[in-house]
Amino acid sequence: MTDNSPPHDAPPPGALCFAFRGGELLVAEDGDGVRVPRVADSGLHAESGVWVDAGEADGLRCFAVSLPDGALEPPGMRFVRLRRLYPLLPAPVYRMAGRASEIVEWEHAHRFCGRCGGRTVASGEALARRCTQCGALHYPRLAPAVLVCVADGDRLLLARSPHFPAGMYSTLAGFVEPGESLEEAAAREVREEVGIEIAGLRYFGSQPWPFPSSLMVAFTAEYAGGDLRPDPAEIEDARWFTVDAMPAVPPVMSLARAMIDDWVRAHGGDPSALETTE
Ligand SMILES: [Zn+2]
């Protein structure tokens, strides 16, 4: 490489190509279903956008690029919303798609330095962008959010936000605020959203949530007092459900659904019988 080489070279033709148009990923479609194309098959080239080395998945190198809003699909391919690809792609490839989408979103949002307004460039080492004027390094940022699944004996608390698909209820959720622990965020969110107190908070699991750049941390908890008083600004309805009268719930890709399924199973129900919304 010489000093005159362009800052972003063409990605290797054999690498997997994660090309995004907004929240949609370019996938190839044939009789076997959908798959993420190789760079060589993608119809894209070095000038299609700023390519980012996103690492490896399934033993293959992976490159990501953000395409303009009006980008057209090459023949035999289409853009599909990332969330819809969860059941269609192998797990390691889907995880890489999430990582790649967060990286291109961060690249796009940090072309200029937040401290001095100078232009930033890829740092060349870790996943970071360096300001060409003040030298500040900017790393991808995640927004942690807590999910809380509250139970009271044989009743499960589920709520719906006005943005949910019609009829769907889920666990409570909210972003962690500066200065807060995850546990404090969980207690505050539940208090603010539905007016009750919780106890017995237990870690359930975590999940990257690249829509666009969150990390979900899930907890189960027990009801510890107070009357349900949903905050109309965030919660359209909140109710206690029993295992034999469950509402429609989120798709299986989410941690919220994993917690609901766990509770249903523990109370003698069949999670696969739950009505699922997109
Ligand atoms: Zn700067």
Side-chain angles (χ1 to χ4, degrees):
M1 190 182 288
T2 71
D3 288 340
N4 295 327
S5 58
H8 299 281
D9 296 328
L16 285 180
C17 167
F18 292 85
F20 293 91
R21 185 182 69 183
E24 298 175 313
L25 177 66
L26 183 69
V27 290
E29 199 170 25
D30 56 28
D32 298 331
V34 302
R35 61 189 162 75
V36 174
R38 303 294 184 109
V39 170
D41 307 324
S42 68
L44 302 174
H45 43 80
E47 289 74 35
S48 296
V50 177
W51 291 88
V52 187
D53 185 345
E56 277 194 15
D58 254 359
L60 291 169
R61 290 189 71 190
C62 300
F63 279 75
V65 65
S66 178
L67 303 176
D69 286 347
L72 300 174
E73 295 97 339
M77 299 197 192
R78 62 189 173 108
F79 288 102
V80 179
R81 291 203 72 75
L82 191 54
R83 284 172 196 251
R84 299 190 63 92
L85 289 168
Y86 176 80
L88 305 177
L89 293 176
V93 177
Y94 184 79
R95 273 201 299 276
M96 174 53 79
R99 172 179 161 85
S101 88
E102 291 187 32
I103 292 172
V104 297
E105 162 73 21
W106 161 74
E107 282 260 353
H108 186 71
H110 289 82
R111 287 173 296 170
F112 296 95
C113 177
R115 283 181 194 274
C116 76
R119 189 168 284 281
T120 65
V121 293
S123 76
E125 297 167 18
L127 203 51
R129 293 186 69 78
R130 185 172 41 78
C131 175
T132 53
Q133 284 184 26
C134 77
L137 279 173
H138 299 280
Y139 296 92
R141 295 237 175 121
L142 294 174
V146 289
L147 294 172
V148 195
C149 188
V150 185
D152 178 26
D154 60 359
R155 304 188 303 167
L156 181 67
L157 177 64
L158 297 175
R160 55 173 283 109
S161 122
H163 314 295
F164 283 3
M168 188 189 99
Y169 284 72
S170 186
T171 60
L172 298 172
F175 286 106
V176 180
E177 293 184 351
E180 246 179 1
S181 69
L182 295 172
E183 293 84 350
E184 288 165 343
R188 175 187 52 76
E189 277 296 336
V190 172
R191 192 179 303 124
E192 283 178 5
E193 293 193 343
V194 295
I196 65 169
E197 299 300 320
I198 55 174
L201 202 65
R202 297 183 75 151
Y203 176 71
F204 180 87
S206 69
Q207 179 181 41
W209 196 249
F211 309 108
S213 51
S214 288
L215 173 68
M216 293 290 185
V217 187
F219 296 91
T220 60
E222 289 145 29
Y223 167 74
D227 296 324
L228 279 188
R229 281 179 288 101
D231 171 9
E234 292 196 62
I235 300 292
E236 190 175 273
D237 188 30
R239 298 183 202 185
W240 296 102
F241 291 92
T242 55
V243 73
D244 52 1
M246 292 288 287
V249 292
V252 289
M253 70 181 283
S254 68
L255 265 181
R257 175 61 185 271
M259 287 197 288
I260 293 169
D261 284 0
D262 240 38
W263 185 88
V264 164
R265 220 175 279 118
H267 288 79
D270 174 9
S272 68
L274 293 173
E275 188 189 332
T276 299
T277 51
E278 269 297 322

